[in-house]
Amino acid sequence: MPESPTTRLAIIGGGPGGYAAAFLAADLGLQVTLIDQEPQPGGVCLYHGCIPSKALLHVAKVLTEAQQAADWGIHFPSPQIDLEKLRTWKRQVVRKLTGGLGQLTGQRKIRFVQGRACFLDAQTLQVQTVSGEEEILSFTHAIIATGSRPATLPCLPLHSSRIMDSTAALDLPSIPQNLLVVGGGYIGLELGTVYAALGSRVSVVELTEGLLPGVDRDLVAPLSKRLAEKFHSIMLRTEVVDAKEETQGIRVILKGSEVTEPEQIFEKVLVAVGRKPNSEDLGLENTRVEVDRRGFISVDEQRRTREPTIYAIGDVTGEPMLAHKASHEGRVAVEAIAGHKVAFEPHAIPAVVFTDPEIAWCGLTETRARTEQRPVRVVRFPWGASGRAITLGRSEGMTKLLIDPETERILGVGIVGPGAGELIAEGVLAVEMAALASDLKLTIHPHPTLSETLMEAAEVFFGQSTHLYRPRRP
Ligand code: FAD
Ligand code: NAD
């Protein structure tokens, strides 16, 4: 009988949490085994999430800008969409990045096993490899980074090619004439934007009273306005109560205060109502790892579970379910395993919705400040006063700062407008570095750029914005 392999650190799941952890652990000199079902590391983010969706959103942006150019006297003919070529390009983007991660894994001498892992106890994993073999792997420490999967809706037919989750929608099987998007959150609005730009008539149903629940309403307003033009309909406070497949499509029964036509047929339906943690079928019952009632693994600041040898990071530990949060948690867990004094305690985890316009925020939000009854001064710089925004024909944006009225420290930043996702990084740095409004005001920003809106928002705080007359209130 061959001796079973052992590893210092076993990482289950090769997404942005798992691979970032594996790479740092190898850089720190630990012996690492990384296990994932896919042929290369990348996880949901690279194969079925962040990367393919952003590739398609880039295409949507090109199509939209070409249309908008008519306002400037530039007329392009209607676009011809070669769907197969578009799919190939998107696959190439994914292949390039996952291939790169595969190379980095090899260069760092990380052992990559393609298979499915399950705990036998707090120091042993059973791995079913894709080649059909079974490996028993002993470890000193393990990190669970198994991510999440789309939540489903019980009222929808189970096995219909007309019902898509985000993974199926990103495969771009076709451009449906009409598409129902269930869920007005990140995925619904990002992928709805892609399909609308490609020519689908998109309708959105959202259960709550507004798109992107939880996000500050003043940030969502410009997006809602633009989507009202791009989408066929947006039905708030609405849910799908029944659906069945017919020859022409999915017949859906809608219930809600904004529904004018309760029964409608859609060629395709995209379900985007949140994600569930992959914490089942992992053999956690053979360990002391605990999950909460929604299935998220409970962890402390070092990302240690209740089982001292096992850590957990990323989507499987809860919200926000974002790639960069997973990667940072992964690095903290590895440092803790390596014996360093660390904790995962960021002041600001940026969030970006890559719609058109983009919405980005970090640190304290107005919604949270209100709930916590925290005194805060909010200053806004409307992009109508930004030279750069006007050159782009996009003056609907807005940059706001949430500032501690006593210390004048920047506690939170919110931005809506094209490129908000890039601009928010400066806000994250300001919050993390405990910058004061005066720091941002005195930092010379290049002109003409959208980044100036952060500086001018800080100027608004002092009643001294160059391009906006807002005298300071006594
Ligand atoms: P994942 O990336 O989910 O990876 C987990 C991996 O574990 C998977 O490869 C899975 O196959 C593997 N696995 C699971 N169980 C086992 C097992 N038992 N054995 C072996 N392997 C296993 N986030 C952003 O920050 N920005 C974005 O723009 C963004 N866009 C998104 C768009 C879409 C359509 C979706 C669906 C998500 C998006 N996200 C985005 C969220 C982001 O993808 C996740 O937050 C991120 O991938 C979580 O990383 P993770 O490492 O926790 O797990
Ligand atoms: P979400 O939580 O962002 O949005 C789900 C939406 O569906 C919510 O608005 C919710 O109110 C609504 N909803 C729930 N049940 C419903 C029902 N029965 N009928 C109608 N509406 C219903 O979830 P998501 O869009 O599926 O995305 C999942 C997660 O993936 C996000 O929370 C985010 O963490 C991550 N993600 C991030 C990005 C990004 O960073 N740009 C992009 C995509 C996904």
Side-chain angles (χ1 to χ4, degrees), residues 49-50 53-54 57 148 150-153 155 166 181-191 205-213 235 238-240 271-276 315 319-324 350-355 359:
C50 328
S53 62
K54 267 77 250 180
L57 277 159
S148 63
T152 50
L153 276 183
C155 62
S166 53
V181 174
V182 187
Y186 280 76
I187 294 178
L189 300 188
E190 287 187 359
L191 294 186
V205 297
E206 163 57 43
L207 191 62
T208 68
E209 58 189 23
L211 298 176
L212 295 167
M235 292 164 273
T238 301
E239 59 185 317
V240 177
V271 185
V273 293
R275 295 181 63 84
K276 286 164 71 167
D315 282 13
E319 298 192 349
M321 291 197 240
L322 299 172
H324 40 278
V352 182
V353 190
F354 291 89
T355 39
I359 299 183

Side-chain angles (χ1 to χ4, degrees), residues 149-411:
R149 62 183 186 282
T152 50
L153 276 183
C155 62
L156 294 174
L158 255 184
H159 304 291
S160 164
S161 59
R162 292 185 185 276
I163 309 275
M164 304 187 287
D165 60 16
S166 53
T167 304
L170 285 167
D171 284 344
L172 275 185
S174 64
I175 303 170
Q177 270 195 348
N178 64 1
L179 170 72
L180 174 68
V181 174
V182 187
Y186 280 76
I187 294 178
L189 300 188
E190 287 187 359
L191 294 186
T193 298
V194 168
Y195 275 89
L198 292 174
S200 294
R201 203 174 86 155
V202 174
S203 302
V204 177
V205 297
E206 163 57 43
L207 191 62
T208 68
E209 58 189 23
L211 298 176
L212 295 167
V215 182
D216 284 351
R217 290 301 93 190
D218 56 347
L219 297 178
V220 179
L223 173 66
S224 295
K225 189 162 172 239
R226 197 160 162 103
L227 289 182
E229 291 160 17
K230 298 274 166 205
F231 290 174
H232 173 66
S233 66
I234 298 174
M235 292 164 273
L236 304 174
R237 293 177 223 93
T238 301
E239 59 185 317
V240 177
V241 287
D242 197 15
K244 59 174 182 291
E245 181 151 18
E246 297 182 355
T247 11
Q248 319 93 296
I250 304 282
R251 183 179 293 274
V252 171
I253 313 285
L254 300 169
K255 193 175 148 210
S257 52
E258 296 186 6
V259 178
T260 46
E261 245 185 289
E263 205 169 316
Q264 298 185 39
I265 295 187
F266 294 93
E267 192 181 322
K268 294 256 169 124
V269 177
L270 163 63
V271 185
V273 293
R275 295 181 63 84
K276 286 164 71 167
N278 291 327
S279 56
E280 306 100 343
D281 308 325
L282 268 178
L284 296 185
E285 62 285 1
N286 303 323
T287 70
R288 281 178 285 176
V289 174
E290 283 180 7
V291 298
D292 68 14
R293 65 182 173 80
R294 292 169 66 199
F296 292 113
I297 297 179
S298 311
V299 287
D300 65 12
E301 283 112 60
Q302 281 76 37
R303 292 317 184 234
R304 191 182 291 110
T305 67
R306 286 290 163 87
E307 182 67 71
T309 53
I310 303 176
Y311 290 63
I313 58 168
D315 282 13
V316 76
T317 62
E319 298 192 349
M321 291 197 240
L322 299 172
H324 40 278
K325 177 241 180 193
S327 304
H328 276 260
E329 285 183 306
R331 293 173 71 89
V332 167
V334 165
E335 287 205 53
I337 290 166
H340 303 178
K341 202 164 174 279
V342 278
F344 184 74
E345 43 191 13
H347 289 290
I349 301 177
V352 182
V353 190
F354 291 89
T355 39
D356 177 28
E358 292 178 355
I359 299 183
W361 66 95
C362 72
L364 187 66
T365 62
E366 273 191 85
T367 313
R368 213 180 84 213
R370 219 170 294 126
T371 316
E372 293 174 5
Q373 296 186 331
R374 209 168 154 178
V376 69
R377 211 170 129 213
V378 183
V379 285
R380 294 183 177 79
F381 185 79
W383 286 19
S386 152
R388 188 64 183 127
I390 289 167
T391 64
L392 299 172
R394 298 300 297 269
S395 54
E396 81 273 26
M398 187 264 291
T399 298
K400 72 171 173 182
L401 303 176
L402 280 81
I403 299 170
D404 185 315
E406 273 188 23
T407 62
E408 301 192 347
R409 189 177 150 177
I410 296 162
L411 302 174

Side-chain angles (χ1 to χ4, degrees), residues 126-138:
Q126 179 186 50
V127 185
Q128 292 290 343
T129 67
V130 278
S131 50
E133 284 149 30
E134 185 178 288
E135 175 175 314
I136 304 296
L137 178 69
S138 306

Side-chain angles (χ1 to χ4, degrees), residues 54-69 72 76 79 89 197 356:
K54 267 77 250 180
L56 296 178
L57 277 159
H58 176 66
V59 172
K61 182 169 181 255
V62 171
L63 289 168
T64 313
E65 286 191 342
Q67 245 179 15
Q68 195 191 355
W72 313 320
F76 293 102
W89 174 69
D356 177 28

